[in-house]
Amino acid sequence: MENKGWKTIQAKACGKQRMENKMEKKSQYLFTSEVVSPGHPDKCADIIADSIVDRLIIEDSNSRVASEVFVAGRHVVIGGEVKSKANLSQSDYEKIVKDALAKIGYDGKGAFSKEQALHPDDVKVQVLLNQQSPDISQGVDQTTGEIGAGDQGIMFGFASNEADEYMPAAIVYARKLSDTVYDYALKNKDKFGVDIKTQVTIDYGTKENFENGIPKRIHTIVVSAPSVESMKIEEVRAIIQDLIDKSGLPENLYNKNNTIIHINPTGRYVNHSSLHDSGLTGRKLIVDSFGGYAPIGGGAQSSKDYTKVDRSGLYVARWIAKHIVASGLAKKAIVQISYAIGVAKPTSVAVDTMGTFTKHNDDVLSEFVMNSFSLTPKWITDKFKLDKPSIDTFLYADVAARGQVGQASYPWEKLDELDKFKNI
């Protein structure tokens, strides 16, 4: 009898535990985004490509550029099409590449050997650039002064009310962590390398909270940063934990005692850069945009001039979406724009507030956007001065390093038409 009684009590206890576990799972709704630092090989490729875009457009604002970059080992291959009055030599391209790598942090002054990380003096640059096809340019550069779309395609802009940046919370906080650790690595080259990855998981508690943009807490953090071989993993983890705590994560969401934290989870991360992982332009579209929270278009931004709507279309779609949310018309918004090659006006514009609109439904918002803004490549270019990159305004290489959207200093992030949206 005692044994049966004990089994009954044990069974009830197990049943209660299963119920509590089930309830705990129901109370979680998790979403994750990752970010890579400028030192990641894919970002190196993007930054080099956009350093070329900057140089060509600054010398000739009518330059047409689509220069893909492949970084593998000690080799940098530049391919694609260029049409420009700026005549760059092989040595010019080599200097652009090496200057970009040095600015990223691969300047040969760190404590990593030439086998552990890339050194700029060892880099070999191959240039395989052709002239832009006249079949494309005749549709882009029109006699009326208008600019036709440099290609067909679809672009998506997104905004939400989850963070001050009107971006999804997970990628905002993953960027904060990446920036903090990367800045430390640049200042402490005797300890850390610049090939850094971060990841943040947000717990919304319920799907309803997720849909309404209400994050409850930071559930998991992952940080991987290369360290010199002489450092013990305990020291590495202690430094990075301190950086996490000081990175500016919101106190109402981050509690390190209630957060799963993985720092260099393999226990050793010394070898890094393109010597150990190749890089290619356009391979970090999710990192560059909205962290997987929203759809993305079919093409990359880096390596392309402003007539390519993969770039300019994203910028204006983000600008519209941000205005919709910031003006209180919705809690979140997706804006899709599409173009046909050689045609200036978009073929379609659609606003989807995902059921969170306040005053006007998606049909009204879509019609307002289509009727209120030209949205041609020339209008977008003039609006954001995309043909005038400079140190004083923005550089495409800096955009490639920091993410294509979500940085307050970018012209397409300015909330300069709020009254127009509020008065629909």
Side-chain angles (χ1 to χ4, degrees), residues 89-298:
S89 65
Q90 172 73 27
S91 61
D92 288 329
Y93 282 108
E94 289 178 1
K95 187 174 188 312
I96 290 171
V97 169
K98 293 183 179 182
D99 286 351
L101 289 172
K103 185 176 180 181
I104 288 166
Y106 296 115
D107 55 6
K109 297 177 181 178
F112 295 91
S113 71
K114 290 189 174 185
E115 287 69 42
Q116 293 171 339
L118 186 65
H119 285 232
D121 293 342
D122 295 338
V123 173
K124 297 176 176 62
V125 180
Q126 186 176 10
V127 182
L128 304 171
L129 291 171
N130 303 308
Q131 284 288 315
Q132 184 190 59
S133 167
D135 297 341
I136 296 175
S137 60
Q138 70 178 353
V140 174
D141 302 309
Q142 300 178 1
T143 56
T144 61
E146 187 55 84
I147 299 173
D151 201 352
Q152 71 176 49
I154 57 171
M155 299 85 226
F156 290 94
F158 178 78
S160 72
N161 62 355
E162 290 188 11
D164 293 340
E165 296 82 354
Y166 295 100
M167 290 280 286
I171 192 166
V172 167
Y173 304 136
R175 280 182 178 173
K176 282 185 184 293
L177 293 175
S178 178
D179 291 346
T180 301
V181 180
Y182 177 64
D183 289 345
Y184 182 89
L186 287 176
K187 295 171 184 174
N188 295 272
K189 294 178 180 179
D190 59 326
K191 294 179 180 180
F192 283 178
V194 293
D195 186 355
I196 296 157
K197 297 180 79 170
T198 60
Q199 187 170 284
V200 170
T201 300
I202 298 291
D203 182 7
Y204 290 84
T206 65
K207 178 70 178 298
E208 183 181 6
N209 287 338
F210 174 76
E211 291 172 344
N212 286 286
I214 307 172
K216 290 298 184 181
R217 68 186 183 98
I218 294 175
H219 180 277
T220 302
I221 289 172
V222 183
V223 178
S224 293
S227 61
V228 296
E229 201 162 13
S230 59
M231 288 183 71
K232 293 183 178 180
I233 187 60
E234 292 80 11
E235 182 184 1
V236 172
R237 287 173 175 162
I239 291 171
I240 294 178
Q241 179 63 64
D242 186 57
L243 292 171
I244 292 171
D245 295 340
K246 294 177 179 177
S247 64
L249 297 176
E251 293 181 2
N252 63 316
L253 296 179
Y254 173 63
N255 176 356
K256 71 176 180 181
N257 298 319
N258 191 33
T259 303
I260 301 168
I261 301 175
H262 300 291
I263 299 172
N264 285 17
T266 66
R268 172 186 164 88
Y269 182 19
V270 175
N271 299 306
H272 62 286
S273 79
S274 60
L275 298 183
H276 305 280
D277 179 16
S278 63
L280 186 66
T281 45
R283 204 155 57 178
K284 286 292 177 283
L285 298 185
I286 296 293
V287 169
D288 273 343
S289 55
F290 308 104
Y293 199 105
I296 59 171

Side-chain angles (χ1 to χ4, degrees), residues 57-77:
I57 294 180
I58 288 170
E59 290 194 20
D60 174 13
S61 63
N62 292 316
S63 295
R64 304 292 179 252
V65 194
S67 54
E68 310 297 340
V69 173
F70 175 48
V71 184
R74 296 175 174 85
H75 296 268
V76 175
V77 180

Side-chain angles (χ1 to χ4, degrees), residues 38 67 82 100 137 159 161 194 219 238 269 282 316 319 329 351 366 421:
S67 54
V82 167
S137 60
N161 62 355
V194 293
H219 180 277
Y269 182 19
V316 78
W319 180 82
L329 293 171
V351 175
S366 299
F421 279 81

Side-chain angles (χ1 to χ4, degrees), residues 372-393:
S372 300
F373 307 106
S374 171
L375 304 180
T376 66
K378 186 178 188 312
W379 184 89
I380 302 168
T381 298
D382 292 344
K383 172 74 177 170
F384 303 132
K385 296 181 171 53
L386 300 183
D387 58 342
K388 297 177 177 64
S390 71
I391 294 174
D392 296 327
T393 55

